[in-house]
Amino acid sequence: MIIHHPSGLIWLGNNDGFIFFGSEQNEEFNNELNDFIDNIIIPAAKKVQLKWFEGVGNHEKRNSIIASVFEHRHLGSWLQRVYTLQQGDYKGDTVPIMNHEYELCKISASLLDNKDHSIHNIVFCNPK
């Protein structure tokens, strides 16, 4: 009997992160990761001047495999906090009180069109 352990990785659109998903038991996939990083990811990252990337798994077992597969590389780890806004807590008609040093801009299509060039790093906001 052949047991399939599908696995994969998604290279995020901003190029600085990967989501590893699927079975952590896929030895063929896990064994090829370092070659893939060395031969595909690193050259592509250098072209866009990235010096690091973030890799996360979609479950705890996958995270431990990432640490094991990349144990010879310099790895960092931290906890992430995720906050959610409940619909009942949203108050769309209020204006926050802000320090006079800051300007509040409502995000809109016209703002992102940036015809007045007020956003200097528009490529970060709206990659084309």
Side-chain angles (χ1 to χ4, degrees):
M1 173 188 341
I2 297 175
I3 299 175
H4 295 282
H5 298 287
S7 300
L9 90 106
I10 299 170
W11 193 348
L12 301 176
N14 58 358
N15 293 331
D16 68 352
F18 297 89
I19 299 174
F20 295 86
F21 62 91
S23 174
E24 75 285 352
Q25 298 174 20
N26 186 337
E27 290 185 28
E28 184 178 359
F29 176 81
N30 295 337
N31 291 337
E32 294 296 323
L33 280 173
N34 279 299
D35 283 341
F36 184 72
I37 297 293
D38 291 337
N39 298 314
I40 304 297
I41 301 303
I42 289 177
K46 284 181 179 179
K47 287 180 184 177
V48 293
Q49 299 166 352
L50 287 175
K51 295 180 177 26
W52 61 271
F53 68 83
E54 181 176 343
V56 296
N58 66 332
H59 54 79
E60 193 60 40
K61 289 180 182 177
R62 170 56 70 193
N63 290 341
S64 64
I65 292 298
I66 291 170
S68 173
V69 167
F70 298 132
E71 66 185 353
H72 67 286
R73 298 180 187 268
H74 176 72
L75 299 178
S77 180
W78 58 92
L79 296 176
Q80 180 179 15
R81 295 178 195 255
V82 178
Y83 298 94
T84 59
L85 178 64
Q86 302 302 317
Q87 188 170 3
D89 295 336
Y90 178 69
K91 297 175 180 46
D93 58 348
T94 61
V95 177
I97 299 170
M98 297 184 58
N99 184 313
H100 71 279
E101 295 177 28
Y102 299 98
E103 179 183 352
L104 179 66
C105 296
K106 186 172 185 174
I107 297 176
S108 65
S110 61
L111 176 67
L112 293 178
D113 284 343
N114 201 33
K115 291 181 180 172
D116 64 354
H117 303 288
S118 60
I119 302 175
H120 300 290
N121 59 348
I122 193 69
V123 175
F124 180 77
C125 300
N126 191 12
K128 292 185 181 184

